[in-house]
Amino acid sequence: MQLLLLSALIIAPALAANDAQKPMSPQERAKYQAACPDYSTYSKYALHAPFGEGPMALPYQRPSKACRTFESPLVEEVIQELTSRMVDKDLARLFENAFPNTLDTTVRWHMDGTETRKKYSNGKWEGPQSFIVTGDINAEWLRDSTNQLAQYQPLTKKDPAINNLILGAINTQAEYVITSPYCNAFQPPPPSKLLPSQNGQGDTVHPAYEPSFVFECKYELDSLAAFLSLTNQFYNNSGSTEFLTKRWSLALETILAVLDEQSFGTFTPDGTFRKNEYTFQRETNTGTETLSLSGTGNPLASGTGLIRSAFRPSDDATILGFFIPANAMICVELKRTADMLSATKGANKEIIARLRRKAAAIKTGIYEHGVFEHKRWGKVFAYEVDGYGSSIFMDDANLPSLLSLPLMGFLDVSDPIYQNTRRMILSKDGNPYYLAGRAFHGIGGPHIGPQHAWPMSLLVAVMTTDDVEEIRENLALVKKASQLGLMHESVNVNSVREYTRSWFAWANSVFAQTMLDLAARKPELLFGEGSGAYRVGDGGA
């Protein structure tokens, strides 16, 4: 701890005068990197001044300028404009720390596309590239990185640096998808020359993968949807189609091939067992970390229109492989991709038609096999189904979730089936993973266990309601659980000082997105009565 503080003291004075100046060049930044404290340790301490002006006096958790991994003057403008207007100074400090956290700490490698570099065959690794780690793990999850960048997407039209960073993230994810479409987390790209790390697990996976390229290979349908979401957000905010390269098109074709393969049931029409293309077995004593039946998972029916997902976004194994939230997400993103391609010159009409057919089949499958009449809650969405009639009624804090269905664009928040589902999953009587204790309540999941709820679930609840009291209650709990000035992965419902992960960039991004949502949708809750809405990308920022 003394070394940590010493590093901060050495760097901070040298940079204080320069913090408001233009972003540092990579060469300037490199001079200081060796002295930068490890952020996973740095973020565990509430010692960093200047402290917030609110009653909680929350610490300042941004690294010194030279230790930040990416900079954007426009991001600094957003922070200044929003926090200066926010009445609750504790929320303001949380936003100040959380909104830039991905840029400050997780851009492990970025190339803007102008550098001279080694040429790879077939156009691999060309153009801008960005490697975005999840935080305290030196690997990139497709899902996490897409969510980590989401709050910056509205800035892509005005900030060339942010535009180039996200374009690079699309290009990098495309290479991951092409090479290992069944995998969820990846090592640093080969051109980065960064060393890979090991996850310490004993996994037997088919199709086989290269460990120096893949960090973990759990097939999660939402990871493929996340790649499309990253692309569609970029297009819808920037209007740019610069990502439409041969590599991106190959990534899209690879995704469609996986969706076709994973739409088959466990048995052929004549009852013959059909081994799945993807199997996963881990040497573990934790049931959620591996798949049953020699790595194939429980049987699924044929002809449902749904797509199998071996794992959930929590990285826990599905019980019934037709995971409804991920099916809803891929359905939305396939349609958005079709719409985007339809608006571009020379688009492949056959691919567009294929995207629309697949999206329609999935949506039909969700409503035919994923909606049930519950004796207490009425018509609701199940969390997982098998197509034979079996279902799991629950929700997990990780996104996509049933709670987040409106946020992903699958339906309107007023949808009656969604409202029934929302009441069910936000109830201890309806959701086994709705956890409540003396200090905190919210949705958790099996990933951490039955005593830890995730602040992220309360933030999603805020973004899916107009109920002012519900919003205020959830924000108060989120503040209570954020005494280090950042979002945790989960907190013990009986003691918020017991948490997992001091540095979890995905959760910090969801907090920032929640504040931006309220600033646009319910500005009076952040800025006071009579205040006008604030939208990132409008006006100055």
Side-chain angles (χ1 to χ4, degrees), residues 293-413:
L293 299 179
S294 301
T296 61
N298 291 315
L300 299 174
S302 298
T304 63
L306 297 171
I307 311 297
R308 175 201 187 211
S309 185
F311 290 86
R312 300 169 177 172
S314 61
D315 297 335
D316 298 314
T318 53
I319 299 172
L320 304 177
F322 292 141
F323 174 52
I324 295 301
N327 273 270
M329 184 179 180
I330 195 72
C331 169
V332 168
E333 298 304 337
L334 289 171
K335 183 180 182 303
R336 286 174 176 167
T337 302
D339 292 344
M340 178 269 294
L341 291 175
S342 295
T344 59
K345 188 176 180 180
N348 186 320
K349 293 183 179 180
E350 183 181 339
I351 287 287
I352 292 170
R354 191 175 168 193
L355 289 167
R356 296 198 189 284
R357 285 195 304 271
K358 182 63 73 175
I362 295 169
K363 187 169 186 177
T364 299
I366 290 172
Y367 281 97
E368 286 187 355
H369 300 280
V371 175
F372 291 81
E373 185 72 38
H374 195 286
K375 64 181 180 180
R376 176 170 180 180
W377 306 101
K379 271 191 176 180
V380 296
F381 291 102
Y383 189 66
E384 293 172 358
V385 300
D386 63 2
Y388 290 111
S390 298
S391 58
I392 303 287
F393 291 105
M394 59 166 281
D395 204 18
D396 188 289
N398 285 264
L399 307 177
S401 61
L402 292 178
L403 188 60
S404 68
L405 287 175
L407 300 184
M408 67 178 79
F410 182 71
L411 43 66
D412 188 82
V413 71

Side-chain angles (χ1 to χ4, degrees), residues 7 36 118 228 241 271 285 374 435 510:
S7 295
C36 292
K118 173 185 174 182
L228 297 180
T241 57
N285 59 6
H374 195 286
L435 309 173
V510 174

